[in-house]
Amino acid sequence: MSKKIALVTGGAGFIGSHLCDRLIKEGFKVICLDNLITGSLKNIEHLLRDKNFIFIRHDITKFIQIKERLDYVLHFASIASPKDYLRLPIQTLKSGALGTHNCLGLAKAKKAKFMLASTSEVYGDPLVHPQKESYWGNVNPVGVRGCYDESKRFAEALVMAYHRVHNIDIRIARIFNTYGPRMRSDDGRVIPNFILQALNNNPLTVYGRGKHTRSFCYITDLIEGIFRLMFVKINEPINLGNPQEISILELARLIIKLTQAKSKIVFKPIPEDDPQRRQPDIIKAKRLLKWSVKVSLEEGLKETIHWFSLLKALS
Ligand code: UDP
């Protein structure tokens, strides 16, 4: 039997590259598309020699031409960290809007199943807690985070339109904060920032008073959820994340403890529109995917600290 073929956009990024690994391991042929704007060849260099892995450097906001048959189009290309999308708001909007349109057109032409990597940011600064898929969100469209939030909200609407009009078998994964090896050390997100600050015994920069919360999911748990979602026909959004909620100040203290750093904590101004609380309701994913998280925050952080220490030693 011939192998299933999956196209992964953003396949050289943090989540995309882990997804490529999993697909190769499961016997797929993988075509990885990435313009390397935030992704890196380092994340996939171990796959480049595999005959079932093809890398194409391409910007998905431009027409995508693929000769092969495709069974899946898994659309993970996006600028995703606040630091990056504040720097590159137009590219962020274009990949969510034009990029998603091209990927859907490709899925339609190939009669492929389609998955959108969406985000908890569609809930904005939520007024409902924890966030269920049925919550419509509280987003400032003209604020500095609007470029990311609205591009993903538009992408979700476009995916649903293609499903309704063209009957494409779609998935929408609303991914909550995810962390682990291969995050960029300079991507500005809280876990890489704190770990690197702690490993260098520098102060940990807590924005605001550190009362904001997030719920952090380890990458292996997320990939398991995404992989399961590919095979269950759920043509509507589904949350994927770890419901263990923690304040940013507690996170800073935990990272100092785990790294045995001598770092202090310093308080910096809170960024505009920074969501105050975030916690996924994953009842739907548990029920429909028979999925649950396996890796505790402490275990996942230890793995991630180990990975960043090796990276630091090599640099
Ligand atoms: N944050 C912080 N210090 C940092 C980086 C981030 O206190 O050095 C806070 C940020 O203000 C937010 C939370 O950590 O409340 C998570 O930020 P991140 O950029 O990781 O992702 P977000 O969940 O906001 O997309």
Side-chain angles (χ1 to χ4, degrees), residues 5 29 31 54 66-70 110:
I5 309 180
K29 178 169 174 182
I31 303 173
I54 297 168
I66 303 286
K67 284 201 208 86
E68 279 88 345
R69 170 194 107 232
L70 292 178
K110 301 284 183 181

Side-chain angles (χ1 to χ4, degrees), residues 82 145 177 189-190 193-194 205-207 214 248 271 274 278:
R145 296 175 84 106
N177 292 66
R189 279 187 277 201
V190 67
N193 270 12
F194 283 180
T205 52
V206 168
Y207 302 158
R214 293 293 185 269
I248 298 303
D274 197 301
R278 198 185 273 158

Side-chain angles (χ1 to χ4, degrees), residues 10-260:
F14 163 49
I15 296 178
S17 65
H18 284 282
L19 181 58
C20 289
D21 281 346
R22 177 68 185 260
L23 291 167
I24 289 287
K25 203 172 133 213
E26 299 283 347
F28 279 71
K29 178 169 174 182
V30 174
I31 303 173
C32 164
L33 246 58
D34 206 300
N35 65 355
L36 302 179
I37 191 170
T38 54
S40 164
L41 284 180
K42 280 208 179 78
N43 292 336
I44 51 167
E45 66 186 355
H46 58 289
L47 291 173
L48 293 173
R49 270 166 276 124
D50 194 310
K51 64 178 187 344
N52 292 311
F53 184 81
I54 297 168
F55 171 69
I56 303 170
R57 186 168 183 167
H58 182 75
D59 176 350
I60 50 144
T61 65
K62 310 272 173 352
F63 188 83
I64 308 167
Q65 202 148 20
I66 303 286
K67 284 201 208 86
E68 279 88 345
R69 170 194 107 232
L70 292 178
D71 300 291
Y72 290 88
V73 173
L74 306 171
H75 177 29
F76 281 69
S78 181
I79 292 161
S81 104
K83 181 178 162 196
D84 291 331
Y85 57 70
L86 294 185
R87 187 171 57 91
L88 301 164
I90 297 172
Q91 286 89 334
T92 304
L93 280 154
K94 282 172 77 177
S95 73
L98 308 180
T100 303
H101 188 216
N102 286 332
C103 292
L104 282 162
L106 181 67
K108 177 172 162 254
K110 301 284 183 181
K111 298 187 171 48
K113 291 187 171 54
F114 179 91
M115 188 188 295
L116 171 70
S118 187
T119 168
S120 53
E121 283 285 319
V122 299
Y123 302 120
D125 190 2
L127 304 175
V128 167
H129 196 76
Q131 294 78 55
K132 275 188 199 310
E133 290 85 350
S134 53
Y135 177 49
W136 292 353
N138 177 39
V139 171
N140 175 3
V142 294
V144 289
R145 296 175 84 106
C147 59
Y148 183 61
D149 303 9
E150 295 296 1
S151 79
K152 291 291 187 183
R153 288 168 68 96
F154 174 85
E156 288 197 4
L158 195 61
V159 168
M160 290 310 294
Y162 267 71
H163 170 61
R164 292 187 182 113
V165 176
H166 299 300
N167 204 23
I168 295 186
D169 188 5
I170 61 93
R171 306 285 187 275
I172 298 175
R174 287 189 179 152
I175 300 172
F176 282 66
N177 292 66
T178 302
Y179 70 101
R182 298 190 195 152
M183 289 187 94
R184 263 175 36 232
S185 47
D186 63 347
D187 91 347
R189 279 187 277 201
V190 67
I191 289 187
N193 270 12
F194 283 180
I195 292 179
L196 285 165
Q197 288 162 346
L199 290 176
N200 291 310
N201 282 312
N202 287 332
L204 271 62
T205 52
V206 168
Y207 302 158
R209 288 188 298 152
K211 295 215 166 136
H212 287 55
T213 70
R214 293 293 185 269
S215 306
F216 297 97
C217 184
Y218 191 59
I219 184 69
T220 52
D221 280 334
L222 179 80
I223 295 295
E224 183 62 36
I226 288 167
F227 192 70
R228 284 175 188 240
L229 181 57
M230 287 172 65
F231 306 103
V232 184
K233 198 173 163 74
I234 307 171
N235 294 147
E236 52 188 49
I238 188 151
N239 287 340
L240 292 175
N242 184 335
Q244 188 188 345
E245 188 184 10
I246 185 170
S247 77
I248 298 303
L249 187 57
E250 284 174 281
L251 176 73
R253 291 191 181 125
L254 179 59
I255 290 176
I256 290 176
K257 187 183 103 185
L258 296 176
T259 50
Q260 298 176 328

